[in-house]
Amino acid sequence: MRTQIAIIGAGPAGLMLAHLLRQQNIDCVVLENRTREYVEGRVRAGVLEQTTVRVLDRLGLGERMHSEGLVHEGTNLAIDGEIFRIDMAALTGGATVMVYGQQEVMHDLFNAAEARGVKIIFEAKGVALHDVDSTRPYVTWQGGRLDCDYIAGCDGAHGASRGAIPSHVIQTFERVYPFGWLGILADVPPASHELIYANHARGFALASMRSAGRSRYYLQCALDERLEDWPDERFWDEVCLRLGEQTAAQVTRGPSFEKSIAPLRSFVCEPMRWGRLFLAGDAAHIVPPTGAKGLNLAVADVIVLAAAFAEFYHGGSTAGIDGYSAKALARVWKGERFSWWFTSLTHRFPDMDGFDRKMQVAELNYIRGSRAAQTTLAENYVGLPM
Ligand code: FAD
Ligand code: DHB
C-alpha cells in the first residue's frame, strides 16, 4: 500500500490531521492499534478552545457540537470555598470555550471519516517505523506495509513514533507531580453552570460537566490511592468539603458510572521532527490537565502540520515542513507554562509549608482583585491566537 502521509494513531491529533489533509486533497492512511469503540470510549478532555471549535467548523463537523455543547463565557476559582468568577468573554473581547467531551469530538470525526475518504486501519498491532531519515520511509504492522512520503506520529504518550527517533537527536523535559486526579462521571445536574477550580487546604477539586444532566468532578489524590477506597459517598463528601459550603449546597449526588485516576505530568520532546517523521499531540508533549490544554495543543499541532503539508504538495515549498517543529513548540511551551502555573496555584504539594500555602492564597486573592491578572488567565484559558 502507498500513501502520501502515514498517520500513526487515531486519537484527536491523528484523526483531525487526516480530516484536514483530506480537505486539501492530500492522501493519507491512519493506523490505529485499538478498536474504534475503545478510542471513542475513553473519558478524557472536556473543554475546547476557540481554535479547536473553529477547526471543527472549518471541517464542516461542528453541527452537533453547536447544538449539544455548552458555551462558557466565564470560569470560577475558589479559595477554601470562597468563589469568584473570571468573566473570560468580557476580558478577551468576546472569546469563550466550548464544553464538549473528547468522546463526542471523536464520535463526530469517526462518523465523517468514511464519507470523506479518511482511511483508518483499526487494530494494527506491532506498528514499526522504517527508514525515517531517508526519502522513502515506510511503516509496517502485523500483516501490512505502508510506503509513504512522510509519517505523522500521533500515537500519544506511549506510542511507537517517538521511540523511532534516536535518543541523541532529541532532548526531553519533564516534571512529574506527586499527585493524581481522581475523576468521576455521574448523571446528575452540575453544581454550577460554569466550571469551578478549587484550591482547598485538603487539596484541589474541580467541578465540571458534560451536559445539563451529566457532571464531571475531579479530586486531587495521592498517586497510590486505590479506587476501591473511594466509594461514591466518600467521593461526594470530599468534593463537597473542598468546593465549600456555598457550592456543596448546589451539588446533586448520584451514582458514578465512571471512576478513574490519572497521574499528572509535564513533558516535552524537542524537536518534534526527525527526518520524515513529525510528532504531534501527546506523542510529543504532555501537560497536567489543569486548564484543559492537552487536546487543544494536539489540535493546534495538526493545524500547523496540515498547513505545512499543503504548502509542500500544492505550493512546492518545504518552508512550512522545515518550520513545523519550531512553530509548534512555541505554542506548546506556552501551554506547558500555563498548565504548570495553574497546577502550582491550585494543588497541595506534599512538601508545602504554611508559607507556600499563604503564597497560593495571596496570588488567588491578587487575581480576584486585578483585571490584569484575570486577563492573563482568561486569554490563556480561551486559547492563545495561532
Ligand atoms: P491520544 O488521545 O493518546 O491518541 C493516540 C492514539 O494512538 C490512541 O488512539 C492510541 O490507541 C493510538 N496508539 C498508541 N500507540 C499506538 C501504536 N503503537 N500504534 C498505533 N496506534 C497507537 N485535554 C484538553 O484539552 N482538555 C481537557 O479538559 C482535558 N482533560 C483531560 C482529562 C483527563 C482525565 C485526561 C487523561 C486527559 C485530559 N486531556 C485534556 C488531555 C487529552 O485527552 C489528550 O491531550 C489528547 O487525547 C491527546 O490527543 P492525541 O491524539 O495526541 O493522543
Ligand atoms: C475537564 C478537565 C480538565 O482538565 C479541565 O481543566 C476542565 C474540565 C473535564 O474533564 O471536564
Side-chain angles (χ1 to χ4, degrees), residues 8-15 31-35 38-39 42-49 102 106 110 124-127 154-161 181 197 210 216 218 260-263 280-287 289 291-299:
I8 306 176
L15 217 50
L31 298 169
E32 165 61 51
N33 71 351
R34 313 299 289 249
T35 61
Y38 178 88
V39 177
R42 282 185 304 206
V43 180
R44 297 177 101 186
V47 181
L48 308 182
E49 285 181 357
Q102 180 166 333
M106 293 312 301
F110 278 130
K125 302 292 175 199
V127 165
C154 304
D155 47 358
H158 309 290
S161 301
W181 277 18
Y197 290 88
R210 288 293 175 273
R216 178 87 167 136
Y218 295 101
S260 57
I261 295 176
D282 280 17
H285 43 77
I286 303 289
V287 286
K293 288 290 158 240
L295 169 98
N296 294 299
L297 283 177
V299 172

Side-chain angles (χ1 to χ4, degrees), residues 50-346:
Q50 300 272 287
T51 309
T52 306
V53 169
R54 264 191 233 118
V55 74
L56 282 163
D57 282 336
R58 211 171 82 210
L59 287 166
L61 294 175
E63 199 180 320
R64 204 167 65 94
M65 170 181 70
H66 287 292
S67 72
E68 294 177 20
L70 306 170
V71 174
H72 282 192
E73 295 188 346
T75 195
N76 301 283
L77 298 180
I79 321 167
D80 285 332
E82 215 176 301
I83 296 194
F84 63 96
R85 180 169 186 265
I86 311 280
D87 189 338
M88 297 182 302
L91 292 159
T92 59
T96 57
V97 295
M98 176 76 79
V99 172
Y100 192 61
Q102 180 166 333
Q103 291 172 286
E104 309 306 325
V105 174
M106 293 312 301
H107 184 78
D108 296 342
L109 292 171
F110 278 130
N111 263 6
E114 202 180 12
R116 295 176 179 215
V118 171
K119 282 167 264 171
I120 310 168
I121 298 174
F122 289 103
E123 298 185 81
K125 302 292 175 199
V127 165
L129 296 78
H130 307 272
D131 296 348
V132 172
D133 58 342
S134 78
T135 54
R136 296 181 170 279
Y138 64 100
V139 183
T140 57
W141 64 100
Q142 281 168 25
R145 168 175 168 145
L146 179 62
D147 290 273
C148 57
D149 298 337
Y150 295 99
I151 302 172
C154 304
D155 47 358
H158 309 290
S161 301
R162 199 176 60 246
I165 307 179
S167 54
H168 69 272
V169 301
I170 51 172
Q171 243 189 315
T172 58
F173 303 86
E174 189 174 29
R175 167 101 4 130
V176 176
Y177 300 85
F179 40 73
W181 277 18
L182 168 62
I184 65 157
L185 271 173
D187 278 330
V188 291
S192 146
H193 79 283
E194 289 170 344
L195 274 60
I196 304 171
Y197 290 88
N199 176 319
H200 189 274
R202 293 173 64 89
F204 171 79
L206 169 61
S208 181
M209 69 206 67
R210 288 293 175 273
S211 65
R214 180 165 291 182
S215 299
R216 178 87 167 136
Y217 287 96
Y218 295 101
L219 282 177
Q220 174 187 351
C221 68
L223 282 170
D224 57 2
E225 208 73 65
R226 298 177 326 164
L227 285 179
E228 55 267 36
D229 292 333
W230 284 92
D232 288 350
E233 269 324 294
R234 180 177 177 205
F235 187 96
W236 290 117
D237 286 346
E238 186 65 28
V239 98
C240 283
L241 242 168
R242 294 190 195 178
L243 290 170
E245 269 174 36
Q246 191 189 335
T247 307
Q250 307 301 318
V251 169
T252 308
R253 297 180 181 219
S256 68
F257 62 88
E258 204 272 341
K259 197 180 275 166
S260 57
I261 295 176
L264 269 66
R265 187 158 80 108
S266 300
F267 173 85
V268 180
C269 154
E270 282 192 0
M272 286 168 59
R273 173 203 182 171
W274 182 61
R276 297 231 160 185
L277 168 64
F278 298 81
L279 299 179
D282 280 17
H285 43 77
I286 303 289
V287 286
T290 333
K293 288 290 158 240
L295 169 98
N296 294 299
L297 283 177
V299 172
D301 285 352
V302 299
I303 291 172
V304 177
L305 190 54
F309 285 139
E311 197 178 321
F312 172 71
Y313 285 109
H314 303 313
S317 162
T318 60
I321 283 176
D322 293 333
Y324 167 71
S325 177
K327 188 167 180 187
L329 280 166
R331 186 181 183 86
V332 164
W333 277 115
K334 289 179 196 159
E336 290 284 344
R337 188 209 65 82
F338 177 67
S339 309
W340 159 83
W341 169 78
F342 206 13
T343 302
S344 314
L345 178 68
T346 49

Side-chain angles (χ1 to χ4, degrees), residues 360-379:
Q360 284 186 336
V361 173
E363 185 165 1
L364 284 159
N365 276 319
Y366 167 63
I367 295 169
R368 182 181 198 161
S370 160
R371 188 180 168 89
Q374 289 187 13
T375 305
T376 298
L377 196 158
E379 67 185 7

